Each structure stands twice: as structure tokens, then as C-alpha cells.
Amino acid sequence: MTQSIDMTTATGAEAMGTRATVALFVRLKLRLIRGNLRGDLAKQLGFVFSCLAAGVVAVLGFVLFAVLRLAPADIARDVGIVVFTVVAIGWIFVPLMAFGLDETLDPARLTLFPLTTRQLVAGMFAASAAGPWPIASLVMLSGGVVALASGPGGVLIGLPAVLLQFAFCLVVSRAVTTALSGALRSRRGRDLLTVGVVFFIVLTQIPGLIINRGLPGDPRELLAATAGVLRWSPPGLAAHAIADGGLAGVAEIVVLAVVVAVLAWLWIVALRRALVTPDSSYQGGAVRRSRMGSFLPGGMLGAVVAKELKYARREPRGRMNWLVAVVVSAILMFSLRGRLDADGPALVIGPIALAALMMGMQAANSFGIDGRSLWMNAVAFATVRDVRTDLAGRHLAYAIVALPLLAVLSVFAAVTGGDPWLAVAATATGWGVMGVALGVGAMVSVLLPYTFPERLNAFSGAAPGQGGQAFAATFAAMTGTAVLVLPVVVPVMFGLSVWAVVAVPYGLAVAWGGRRLAALIGYRRIPDILAAVSRPT
Amino acid sequence: MTEAVRTRGLFKRFGQQVAVSGIDLVVPRGSFTGLVGPNGAGKTTTLSMITGLLRPDGGLIEIDGHNVWADPVSVKSRIGVLPEGLRLFERLSGRELLLYNGQLRGIPLDEVGRRADELLRVMDLVDAQDKLVVDYSTGMRKKIGLAAALLHNPSVLFLDEPFEGVDPVSANTLTEVLRRFTASGSTVVFSSHVMDLVERLCDWVSVMDRGRIVAQGPLDDVRGERTLNEAFLDLVGARGNGDEGLSWLGSATA
């Protein structure tokens, strides 16, 4: 709240210069980060974890990039161009989909302050640049100067080029999120973004698919051809300017500066629109009363299953999770196919196991999707058994969707893989993996719950300050499941198809055990889970 | 045994901040109780602890003589809750929300359906029963929330700011239902800072300020000869009367 006082005291728009605005916003961002961490050990650990990860990425990225200097100059240049472009693309899309990497201010919260748009842009820009991940990318990008500069000219041009590239990343990322923020508030917009994200994932896989289908010529030529195109993109210009180090390089960074300025102007326009465009309220129609109830067990179990299935259908986040799981596993199947050295069963079993893992990951934060409404369960749950029934209902709902999907995917994978009989083993393995993922997910759900934002937030996939916790939960669920499925998956992958018989009972056992243990722990932790999943977003 | 709710030394702190500092709350059975206090007095924290949604740092809570944190089975079936804010399962329709809630409580489905239909009719939500809760207005949300809290026929009902942001028509429906509920001998505890409303509805008042109970008893004892609002301002100490400072505020510019 002190920040708002700071701002209101500077009432006149002229009262605050750009530098003061920048300082104010950076302070605000740091104070928000600190405020979010206060008095919450889990979040502090999460933040430390996130900082460490950013540090590792920064150092490793810098070193790996710098080592490129040892390569022939033209290859280094081409790789540099590709890396710069990939970083920029990452900056556009990662904040849209990934969990809490970038906890930035929502411009909507600043609408009422007497700030000129220019001040707002300067401030938002500064706030975006403050944080572990932006700094990590800046460090990583500056590795490009080491890698590409061939003389003093290269270094001289390299520093502004890296800064401009960094500015380009920030501005592009902000412009896209701001332009979408209006759309993201409406339900229809969120659904569109869902498709967009899946589309993006497909898009990123296309190069891999092409490569796996057989390379047109050798990798060097491909690299040169790709870089030849990307070289004219803004990040490509930056990388090329460093490598060039002469007058052409100067011209290139001038062009880049103009591009950044134009994008900043576009961002201002988007921001101005976003600030005065109201939340598009949605007059919802009635939903059909479902007949689902008659097929489900009665009582608490059936109620939970029915609710979960409705959520999977009506809640955009629920729908997106399933869509992504299916699309990604389909892509995996295709992209693994081209490999010549791998042998039959692994190509069918591997993607199915991964698909099951991805679908099962949704269970790793079971209570998150309920969010603030979880109190309704909490006031009803009087015994450990109630919590177990709730978890069982959720698992049953996941299974109702996932098991047929996995079976279809298995048949598809086996038939295209040339061995239709493998479909049986693949289905069984996939179901087993799903069971293990559910069991592990139940444990993670009660131990590391976190809040999903109410709207698919452009800025974060977890509530502010919980990015690290979300990451830790996903990581724990992934590793836990991956380790526990090894005994059933590995033999089948190496051709011992009969072993798949064990997979389903094994998965059931792990799911059952995970539920039992999770219910014991979760029953004691109900108030804590409730608090963790109902944070303001 | 005439108390529906009794706490002894109930205590909660958040970091350095003491939210509730050892209160002894008493709510007689069958009363219509108002828990009043300024913002930040600890009303929501108190209600959350009593209803088992927030773990207290110390003290004892009994509902109908059962310890809330030691004997949740007996307690949870006896209480109905409408927490702060409008936290409901947004992607269920109003009717589905009631059915879900009833089934969670272990009521047979046909019985839940019968009760839900009646509640929807009384709450004037029949037209909206198949719309998603996410599209409900504030008044409709409070009404569906109250319906969900009443569905299992609790003996004590806890409502956190049930009238906040509710239009007069919906507020009237809510009060009518609550009056009928207490007339049958059940207990209602609700928090509010609308003194007129508390004065009109309640027969028992607990006044909280800065984590303490500063007055508690029958409405007439607490307010004495004054209005409840005057008594309340005396009790919590009216802070600042607007005379000092703010000399720049207003149209009489220098």
C-alpha cells in the first residue's frame, strides 16, 4: 500500500520524470516480490529455487554461448542468429504459458493513477526488466558478444546490440501480453488462447518433424539456410551486427533500434486500449442438465466424479490440459518415428508412457482447479475417509477421460509402427503409468498445493509468488512418477511385451497407496491446502 | 447446556500480527447473533477458525458442546457456512452446486433434489438454476451460497458478511429465510458492520475490536439507551473526528 501512496503524492503528470518513474516501478516490483515472500517459508524456498535456476541458466547459457567462439566464424554467426531468435520467441510465448517465471505488474491495476502513457511504459518496461529471469536472459545474451565479436568493432557494436535485443524481447513480450490481456479476460478469448497455445506447440515441432523425416542435405547447409532467413528478423540483425562489427553492423543496430521504438509505440497503443476497455462480461446461457449422474456411483464419490468431469469440459484450463496432453503425445509419436537407430517396441511404448505421464500430471495439483471454492469440500469433510473418497473421485474422473484416450493412442501408435499387437502392451503400460502418476499426484497435491490463477493469466501460470512452488510440485510429480514407472516400462520397451501384464495392477496399487497416504496427510493439512489454493491472483 | 457456540481463549496470529487475541465468544442456542466490528477486528478470522477452515494457534472452540478441532465428525454435520467473499464452484450451475453440496454431505440424491428445488423456489432462483454460477450477480451468489449452507439442515449457521453488496430485494429474501430458520430454534451467527441491519435482526450481539471482544450480550444490554451505532462507536472508540488535518480538502481553496 505504501507504493500507492508514493504514486498519489506525485499527482501532476509532469511531477515525475522518466528516471523517477523507472526507479519507482523497479522499487514497486522488488517490494511486491519481497511482500509476497514475507512470512511464508515454502514461497521463500520456491523463490530461492527459482533464483538458483535462473542463475544456472544465466551462467550455463553464457558459457555455452561463449564457447561458440571456438567454432568457425560463419557457423558461430549462424548459430548466434538462431539462438537470438529463439530467445526472442521464448520471450513472447513463455510468459503466456509457463508458470510464474515473470511476475510482472498488471497494467489494469495502474489505471487510476495519474500516469501518462509514456511514464507507464517506461515504468512497466523497467519493472519487466527487474527480476531473476530477465537478468538471466541478459547475461545469456551477452555471451553472444564473446561468441561473435571478431574485433574491437564487434565488441563496441555488441554491447548496444545485446541491450537492444534485450529491449526487443521485453517490448515484444509486453506488447503481446498487453494486446491479449483484453481478450484473456473474456471466456471466448481464453478458449482462443487455448487453441493458440496448442498451435504454437505444433509449430515448434515442425522443424523437428522435418529433420526426422530425413534431412535435405547436411546439417550445416540447413543451419546456413535457416540463419539466412532469420538473419533479417530483429534478433537476427542484432546477432549479425555483432559478427559483422563494421558499418553494416552499425546500420543493423540502427534498424533494430527503430524496430524496438515502433514496437514500443505499438505497445503504448495496446496499453491505452487495454486500460479503457472494460472486462467483457459474458451473459452465459443455461447449461443442459446432464444425465451423467445415472451412470455414476451415488453419494460423495459420484458427486466428485460428476463435478470433475463437468470441470474438465467447462473450465478452459481443464480443457486445455487434456488437449495439450493429446497433441503433444501425437507429436512425440511422429517426431520419434524418423529415428532409424531406435527399435520397434520403444517407439510405440515410449510415447504412450509419456502421454500417460502428461495426462497424469493434471492430478499433481488436484485441489488447485477448485481454488477458492475448496472450502465447500473442507466444511463437509469430517474424516480421513472423506478426503480419500474425494481423491478417489478425482482419480476416477481422470481415468474416465484418460484410459480410452490412451487406448486409442496406443492402437494408433502400434498400427503406424507396423505391429498392431503391440497395442495391447502399449495400452496396459499407458494405463499403468497413469495409475502411478495418479498415486504420486495425490501425494504432491496434498504436500505442494498451489493456486491456479482464476483467469488464464498472461503473466503467470501460478498465483503471484507461487511460481517456485508450482515448479517444485511439477518437478516432484514428474520425477516421482518417472522413477516409480521404470520397473514396468523399461522391460516392455526392450521387447518383453508380456511384462505389460504387471503394469495395470502395479499402477492400481500405487494409485491406491498414494491415495491412502495422501488422505492421511491431507486430512491434517486441510486448512493449509485451502490457504495454498485460494491465494488472490 | 444452552450455548450453541462457545470459545475459550481463542487465539490466532499471522506473523507478528495478532488477529484474534484470546477471545471468549458466547452464542446462546436459538439466538440470532450479530458479530460486529470495524474492518480488521478479527471477525472473519474468528468465523474461519470456528468453522474449521483456519487452524487456531490456541484456545478451545465448542459447537453444541462438541470440540471443533477434536471432534470434527459431530461438528461438521451440525454447521452450515457461508464464508467471506463469493467463493463457489463457478463452473457448476446453481442447481448442480446444490446437488453436489448435498451429496458431499451424504444426503440421498432424490432427497437433495427435493430440497434443492424448494430452496431455489424460496430464494427466487428458479429461472437461473441452470445457469453457471460464474454468471450470477452478487445477490444471486449470496442466495445460492445460503441455500447450499442450509441444504443439510444445520443447527448452527455461520454467515460472513451475508448482506454485503446485496440488493434490497435479495436482502429481504435472505432475512426472511434466516428469520424462519431461527424461529424454529436454530442458531444464526453473522458478521456485519451494518449496524441498522444488526439492530433490526439480532437479539444477541458480540462486538469485536482489534482482536478482542469489547462487549457481548443481549442487544438491549449492549446498546442501552442509545442506538447500536452510537454504542458501537463508543465501544470501539471513534478514531479521529475529521477536525484536525485535511485543511486542503473541500472546495474552499486558498
Side-chain angles (χ1 to χ4, degrees), chain A residues 37-61:
Chain A
L37 295 176
R38 189 174 299 161
D40 191 333
L41 186 67
K43 272 196 307 184
Q44 287 165 0
L45 288 177
F47 183 70
V48 169
F49 191 77
S50 173
C51 281
L52 283 179
V56 168
V57 167
V59 172
L60 213 63

Side-chain angles (χ1 to χ4, degrees), chain A residues 283-344:
Chain A
Q283 198 53 49
V287 292
R288 264 183 312 126
R289 292 200 194 167
S290 75
R291 305 240 161 269
M292 211 154 50
S294 42
F295 302 107
L296 293 172
M300 190 189 264
L301 185 69
V304 174
V305 175
K307 186 212 76 182
E308 285 292 305
L309 290 176
K310 280 172 194 147
Y311 260 62
R313 203 169 62 231
R314 294 178 190 163
E315 168 75 44
R317 293 169 294 180
R319 259 187 312 204
M320 174 164 125
N321 288 341
W322 287 108
L323 200 59
V324 168
V326 171
V327 169
V328 168
S329 35
I331 288 172
L332 272 174
M333 247 176 266
F334 275 111
S335 57
L336 285 178
R337 189 64 28 81
R339 301 277 159 81
L340 301 170
D341 49 339
D343 56 340

Side-chain angles (χ1 to χ4, degrees), chain A residues 287 314 375 377-378 381 524, chain B residues 55 76 87 91 96 130:
Chain A
V287 292
R314 294 178 190 163
W375 68 268
N377 293 10
F381 291 164
R524 284 173 211 294
Chain B
R55 192 178 291 121
K76 290 199 169 179
R87 303 175 280 166
R91 303 279 165 164
E96 286 168 349
D130 288 325

Side-chain angles (χ1 to χ4, degrees), chain A residues 129-290:
Chain A
W133 287 97
I135 291 168
S137 18
L138 184 59
V139 171
M140 188 184 148
L141 285 173
S142 47
V145 181
V146 180
L148 303 177
S150 51
V155 177
L156 274 182
I157 292 179
L159 295 176
V162 164
L163 286 178
L164 278 173
Q165 155 80 357
F166 182 58
F168 174 80
C169 291
L170 290 181
V171 170
V172 142
S173 151
R174 289 292 136 238
V176 169
T177 47
T178 308
L180 286 179
S181 69
L184 291 176
R185 288 192 194 125
S186 73
R187 239 192 274 170
R188 183 176 295 206
R190 284 185 290 194
D191 294 359
L192 277 178
L193 182 79
T194 305
V195 180
V197 167
V198 176
F199 180 72
F200 169 70
I201 293 172
V202 175
L203 211 65
T204 57
Q205 289 303 314
I206 285 175
L209 289 179
I210 294 170
I211 291 170
N212 283 330
R213 288 275 158 222
L215 288 174
D218 75 325
R220 270 189 195 201
E221 276 171 34
L222 196 74
L223 177 67
T226 316
V229 179
L230 293 180
R231 175 212 176 313
W232 300 107
S233 70
L237 287 177
H240 193 266
I242 306 174
D244 181 81
L247 277 180
V250 175
E252 278 169 329
I253 62 169
V254 170
V255 172
L256 181 57
V258 171
V259 168
V260 171
V262 168
L263 277 173
W265 178 77
L266 280 177
W267 180 31
I268 295 176
V269 173
L271 199 54
R272 218 177 264 157
R273 268 178 52 92
L275 291 185
V276 294
T277 314
D279 286 10
S280 32
S281 63
Y282 178 81
Q283 198 53 49
V287 292
R288 264 183 312 126
R289 292 200 194 167
S290 75

Side-chain angles (χ1 to χ4, degrees), chain A residues 376 380, chain B residues 96-106 147-149 151-152:
Chain A
M376 197 167 257
Chain B
E96 286 168 349
L97 184 78
L98 295 185
L99 296 186
Y100 175 68
N101 203 38
Q103 284 179 283
L104 269 194
R105 301 275 186 177
L151 195 66
H152 59 290

Side-chain angles (χ1 to χ4, degrees), chain B residues 77-200:
Chain B
S77 59
R78 281 165 207 268
I79 62 170
V81 185
L82 177 63
E84 178 207 24
L86 302 158
R87 303 175 280 166
L88 300 164
F89 283 99
E90 308 275 305
R91 303 279 165 164
L92 297 182
S93 71
R95 190 164 197 284
E96 286 168 349
L97 184 78
L98 295 185
L99 296 186
Y100 175 68
N101 203 38
Q103 284 179 283
L104 269 194
R105 301 275 186 177
I107 311 171
L109 188 57
D110 46 351
E111 174 66 13
V112 179
R114 211 169 51 73
R115 292 188 188 181
D117 288 337
E118 274 183 54
L119 282 164
L120 288 165
R121 202 166 55 247
V122 173
M123 299 288 179
D124 194 24
L125 287 171
V126 175
D127 291 338
Q129 62 177 327
D130 288 325
K131 281 190 181 167
L132 296 190
V133 173
V134 72
D135 299 320
Y136 275 22
S137 68
T138 305
M140 290 158 82
R141 283 161 166 264
K142 295 276 186 189
K143 287 194 287 187
I144 200 75
L146 180 61
L150 289 170
L151 195 66
H152 59 290
N153 191 23
S155 72
V156 190
L157 193 57
F158 296 93
L159 314 167
D160 199 349
E161 303 281 4
F163 299 102
E164 200 181 287
V166 177
D167 67 281
V169 181
S170 299
N172 190 48
T173 314
L174 289 176
T175 51
E176 283 310 310
V177 173
L178 292 179
R179 277 220 172 99
R180 241 164 73 184
F181 183 68
T182 45
S184 71
S186 304
T187 314
V188 171
V189 181
F190 79 98
S191 74
S192 179
H193 38 228
V194 185
M195 293 304 148
D196 293 347
L197 196 73
V198 174
E199 204 159 20
R200 199 151 51 79

